[in-house]
Amino acid sequence: MAEILFNETNMRLRIEAESWEAAVGIGGELLVAQGCVEESYIDGMIQNVSQHRVDVVIAEGIAIPHTRYEDGAFRTGISLVTLKTPLSFSGSKEMVKVVLCFSAMNLQDYWHMVSFALDLIEYGVLDQLTEAKTLEEVKSIVALC
């Protein structure tokens, strides 16, 4: 998925987060810093995880926190947070180590982001992504998809 571009401003690698809320908050702040969403979008993502965990934790190892664009999105964007220590999201049995927060302005953008996350699973690169320490490593891993 070459269209999904990561850079130094939209990712944090191998972080320690004390909770899933903190991990989503970090990803959300990256979206805010990019000018994709306003602060209220972060609260919307956390509320969405609390209410719809099944839709957010899409497989062992990965969560895709997001909410409706009406909750404060200005444009489509993505952020990547990888965790040193996997976390359970809102009581989920699956442990999450890759957090892809995103904002989408329409259904096409939404499915594009979901498709990207599914490609990471299908190509079996979640563990590699979790171990990545540099932007260059992330780009090489994403290029495999």
Side-chain angles (χ1 to χ4, degrees):
M1 285 259 163
E3 314 82 60
I4 304 286
L5 299 176
F6 289 108
N7 56 54
E8 298 291 347
T9 63
N10 67 356
M11 60 181 217
R12 294 293 175 268
L13 304 177
R14 301 186 47 76
I15 66 157
E16 288 287 353
E18 60 189 48
S19 65
W20 67 264
E21 294 95 337
V24 171
I26 292 166
E29 287 298 333
L30 293 171
L31 290 173
V32 170
Q34 294 174 72
C36 297
V37 302
E38 59 187 38
E39 290 282 336
S40 64
Y41 192 86
I42 299 169
D43 294 332
M45 287 192 298
I46 290 171
Q47 185 177 19
N48 193 36
V49 171
S50 295
Q51 293 175 354
H52 306 288
R53 180 185 71 240
V54 174
D55 295 339
V56 177
V57 179
I58 58 172
E60 180 76 30
I62 187 168
I64 55 169
H66 61 283
T67 191
R68 301 173 316 154
Y69 71 88
E70 296 95 347
D71 291 337
F74 302 124
R75 64 185 180 93
T76 299
I78 193 166
S79 66
L80 169 67
V81 176
T82 63
L83 304 170
K84 280 186 183 179
T85 305
L87 295 169
S88 172
F89 268 52
S90 192
S92 158
K93 291 180 184 178
E94 295 87 1
M95 298 301 285
V96 171
K97 54 190 170 187
V98 174
V99 181
L100 283 173
C101 295
F102 70 86
S103 57
M105 300 306 294
N106 55 51
L107 198 54
Q108 180 180 357
D109 291 342
Y110 169 83
W111 285 114
H112 183 72
M113 296 296 182
V114 171
S115 175
F116 172 69
L118 293 173
D119 282 350
L120 294 175
I121 298 163
E122 181 180 340
Y123 285 89
V125 298
L126 292 179
D127 287 334
Q128 290 174 297
L129 202 54
T130 303
E131 294 301 318
K133 296 177 183 154
T134 67
L135 173 60
E136 291 72 29
E137 288 178 270
V138 169
K139 287 181 176 182
S140 293
I141 294 163
V142 171
L144 299 172
C145 299

